[in-house]
Amino acid sequence: MNPQTKMLATIIAKSLNLGDEWTVVDVEMRDCNPDPDELHVYIERTPGYALRCPRCGVMHGVCDTRERTWRHLDIWQYKTYIHCKLPRLDCEGGPITAEVPWAAPDAKHFTA
Ligand SMILES: [Zn+2]
């Protein structure tokens, strides 16, 4: 990331309330002229961090990931999308999708 992107990533991470376990790995601005420009935020689990299980509340490691995209509230004038390799946690009851701070449980999401 160049310094400008890095600064942007830091601001976005704060505004999304990301904990240490999530990292903004890239931010991309797409000029969609004449449509509103788009902001694409790429987030990954920070390597080495376990995540709390939404089923049993215990911290688990990750068994696999699935690419997902969320339409987020606009940031500045940009249509904002969040992309994440969403981890599935290695729970005793079977793999379970991790909860992410930027998506309420009832938030709309769609697969890229
Ligand atoms: Zn569990």
Side-chain angles (χ1 to χ4, degrees), residues 51-60 89-94 96:
L51 295 170
R52 190 168 298 282
C53 179
R55 182 189 288 144
C56 66
V58 173
M59 305 299 274
H60 295 312
L89 305 181
D90 199 9
C91 182
E92 282 176 17
I96 182 163

Coordinates of all heavy atoms in Angstrom, one line a residue, residues 51-60 89-94 96, ligand 1:
L51 N -10.7 -16.2 16.8 CA -11.9 -15.4 16.8 C -12.9 -16.1 17.7 O -13.0 -17.3 17.8 CB -12.5 -15.3 15.4 CG -11.6 -14.5 14.4 CD1 -12.1 -14.7 13.0 CD2 -11.6 -13.1 14.7
R52 N -13.8 -15.3 18.3 CA -14.8 -15.8 19.2 C -15.9 -16.5 18.4 O -16.4 -15.9 17.5 CB -15.3 -14.7 20.1 CG -16.2 -15.3 21.3 CD -16.5 -14.2 22.3 NE -15.3 -13.7 23.0 CZ -14.6 -14.3 23.9 NH1 -15.0 -15.5 24.4 NH2 -13.5 -13.8 24.5
C53 N -16.3 -17.6 18.9 CA -17.3 -18.4 18.2 C -18.7 -17.9 18.5 O -19.1 -17.7 19.7 CB -17.2 -19.9 18.7 SG -18.5 -20.9 18.0
P54 N -19.5 -17.6 17.5 CA -20.9 -17.1 17.8 C -21.8 -18.2 18.3 O -22.9 -17.9 18.8 CB -21.4 -16.6 16.4 CG -20.5 -17.3 15.4 CD -19.2 -17.6 16.1
R55 N -21.4 -19.5 18.3 CA -22.2 -20.6 18.8 C -21.9 -20.9 20.2 O -22.8 -21.0 21.0 CB -22.0 -21.8 17.9 CG -22.8 -23.0 18.3 CD -22.4 -24.3 17.5 NE -22.7 -24.2 16.1 CZ -22.0 -24.7 15.2 NH1 -20.8 -25.3 15.4 NH2 -22.4 -24.6 13.9
C56 N -20.6 -21.1 20.6 CA -20.3 -21.5 21.9 C -19.5 -20.5 22.7 O -19.2 -20.7 23.9 CB -19.5 -22.8 21.9 SG -17.9 -22.8 21.1
G57 N -19.1 -19.4 22.1 CA -18.4 -18.3 22.8 C -16.9 -18.5 23.1 O -16.3 -17.7 23.7
V58 N -16.4 -19.7 22.6 CA -15.0 -20.0 22.8 C -14.2 -19.4 21.6 O -14.7 -19.3 20.5 CB -14.8 -21.5 23.0 CG1 -13.4 -21.9 23.1 CG2 -15.6 -22.0 24.2
M59 N -12.9 -19.1 21.9 CA -12.0 -18.7 20.8 C -11.6 -19.9 20.0 O -11.2 -20.9 20.5 CB -10.8 -18.0 21.3 CG -11.1 -16.8 22.2 SD -12.0 -15.5 21.5 CE -10.7 -14.6 20.7
H60 N -11.8 -19.8 18.7 CA -11.4 -20.9 17.8 C -10.4 -20.4 16.7 O -10.4 -19.2 16.4 CB -12.6 -21.5 17.0 CG -13.6 -22.1 17.9 ND1 -13.4 -23.0 18.8 CD2 -15.0 -22.0 17.8 CE1 -14.5 -23.4 19.4 NE2 -15.5 -22.8 18.8
L89 N -15.0 -20.9 11.5 CA -14.3 -21.3 12.7 C -14.4 -22.8 12.9 O -15.4 -23.4 12.6 CB -14.8 -20.5 13.9 CG -14.8 -19.0 13.7 CD1 -15.3 -18.3 15.0 CD2 -13.4 -18.5 13.4
D90 N -13.3 -23.3 13.5 CA -13.2 -24.7 13.7 C -13.9 -25.1 15.0 O -13.2 -25.4 16.0 CB -11.7 -25.0 13.8 CG -11.4 -26.5 13.5 OD1 -12.4 -27.2 13.2 OD2 -10.3 -26.9 13.7
C91 N -15.2 -25.1 15.1 CA -16.0 -25.4 16.3 C -16.2 -26.9 16.4 O -16.3 -27.6 15.4 CB -17.3 -24.6 16.2 SG -18.3 -24.8 17.7
E92 N -16.4 -27.3 17.6 CA -16.7 -28.7 17.9 C -18.0 -29.1 17.2 O -18.2 -30.3 16.8 CB -16.7 -29.0 19.4 CG -15.4 -29.1 20.0 CD -15.5 -29.3 21.5 OE1 -16.6 -29.7 22.0 OE2 -14.5 -29.1 22.2
G93 N -18.9 -28.2 17.2 CA -20.2 -28.5 16.6 C -20.2 -28.4 15.0 O -21.3 -28.5 14.4
G94 N -19.0 -28.2 14.5 CA -18.9 -28.1 13.0 C -18.5 -26.7 12.6 O -18.7 -25.8 13.5
I96 N -18.3 -23.0 11.6 CA -19.3 -21.9 11.8 C -18.7 -20.6 11.3 O -17.6 -20.3 11.6 CB -19.9 -21.8 13.2 CG1 -21.0 -20.8 13.3 CG2 -18.7 -21.6 14.2 CD1 -21.8 -20.9 14.6
Ligands
ZN1 ZN -17.6 -22.9 18.9

